[in-house]
Amino acid sequence: MKNIKVVGVTKKACEGVNNFGAKGVNIPHPVDLEIFTKKIKENKQLKVLFVGRVLPEKGILDILKLSEEFKDINFTFVGDGNLSSRIKNCGLNNVEYKGFIYDKKELSKVYRQADIFISNSYSTENWEELFGIVIIEAMASGLAVIATDCVGPKEIIQNGENGFLIHQKDYNDLKNKFTQLIKNKSLIKKFSDNGRKTVEEKYDIRIIAQKWLDLIKNEN
């Protein structure tokens, strides 16, 4: 096993591989910066976005609760799952449900229409957010990100620098960080700029492709 290399998208995944006697190589998921470009102008009215599976463990109900308390802010949900009907029938005028968007270019447009991205996942007995491609897509698009401290987001987000990390299943923490953002446009801009820079330096598809190429060359 010691001569076997296994690619892990997070350092934590690589640690698990190492524990089994193989060598973990950290190569994260990429984002295409030619598709996911940074938004150009701010919205007059703040817009919040969620993209992902519409399931309880994604923290959907707490995001909906947030939309009930902040009716002057628009919330958009993109994805599919067993809570889809809950969103559709929530009765809130500030909530929009777009369903699953297959085309990446269309999805990128939705990102650029928003200001704040929320990833509110929490771990269960059988699952945890092990990376979070939507997080780096949002950061590439210039959104200010709030994400829970699951394994994946913790390696992407530097709390207070390129986004906020919050405790899992903690609505008060979510509301508190969200309130800080909406009251401070300069903080939104800071997260937007630093988030885009993070993706350019670590998750650009060209950088990740080179990592794969280097790994393959070293094996030949």
Side-chain angles (χ1 to χ4, degrees):
M1 286 284 288
K2 64 181 181 180
N3 294 322
I4 297 177
K5 294 181 180 179
V6 179
V7 173
V9 295
T10 62
K11 294 176 182 177
K12 187 71 175 178
C14 290
E15 289 175 8
V17 169
N18 294 339
N19 290 336
F20 282 99
K23 182 179 180 180
V25 179
N26 181 211
I27 302 180
H29 290 304
V31 61
D32 190 338
L33 296 181
E34 292 185 2
I35 295 177
F36 293 93
T37 56
K38 190 175 179 181
K39 60 181 298 179
I40 298 173
K41 61 180 180 179
E42 295 182 359
N43 295 310
K44 291 182 179 180
Q45 184 178 22
L46 286 176
K47 295 183 179 181
V48 179
L49 178 65
F50 167 87
V51 178
R53 293 179 299 140
V54 186
L55 302 173
E57 59 266 30
K58 289 290 189 173
I60 298 296
L61 297 181
D62 274 355
I63 301 176
L64 272 178
K65 184 177 178 181
L66 201 65
S67 70
E68 292 175 4
E69 294 198 44
F70 295 88
K71 290 187 172 67
D72 57 334
I73 295 175
N74 293 319
F75 288 74
T76 299
F77 292 81
V78 175
D80 196 12
N82 58 26
L83 289 179
S84 298
S85 60
R86 183 71 173 267
I87 299 171
K88 292 177 187 177
N89 301 316
C90 69
L92 296 169
N93 293 328
N94 62 325
V95 171
E96 180 182 15
Y97 176 63
K98 288 183 174 293
F100 189 85
I101 298 177
Y102 293 88
D103 186 82
K104 286 291 186 180
K105 290 184 179 180
E106 287 300 315
L107 180 60
S108 69
K109 293 178 183 178
V110 176
Y111 277 111
R112 287 193 295 275
Q113 291 168 358
D115 303 284
I116 298 170
F117 184 84
I118 297 178
S119 175
N120 197 39
S121 302
Y122 58 84
S123 59
T124 66
E125 184 178 348
N126 301 311
W127 178 83
E128 185 169 357
E129 194 74 72
L130 297 178
F131 186 78
I133 294 176
V134 292
I135 292 175
I136 60 174
E137 290 176 346
M139 293 168 73
S141 305
L143 278 65
V145 173
I146 300 175
T148 51
D149 57 359
C150 290
V151 169
K154 278 199 297 186
E155 292 194 17
I156 299 171
I157 301 293
Q158 293 176 297
N159 190 37
E161 291 299 319
N162 60 2
F164 272 138
L165 280 176
I166 60 174
H167 300 297
Q168 299 172 46
K169 291 185 176 182
D170 190 336
Y171 180 74
N172 289 332
D173 198 12
L174 170 61
K175 181 180 177 180
N176 177 265
K177 295 300 191 298
F178 182 72
T179 303
Q180 287 184 49
L181 267 184
I182 65 174
K183 289 185 176 181
N184 191 341
K185 287 190 174 181
S186 63
L187 185 58
I188 291 178
K189 187 178 188 307
K190 175 185 175 181
F191 288 175
S192 171
D193 293 342
N194 290 347
R196 174 71 187 191
K197 184 178 179 182
T198 297
V199 176
E200 289 175 344
E201 293 176 349
K202 296 182 178 181
Y203 305 105
D204 182 352
I205 194 169
R206 293 166 296 183
I207 293 174
I208 304 304
Q210 187 61 51
K211 287 179 179 290
W212 275 101
L213 185 60
D214 291 343
L215 177 64
I216 293 168
K217 284 183 176 179
N218 291 334
E219 291 302 301
N220 295 329

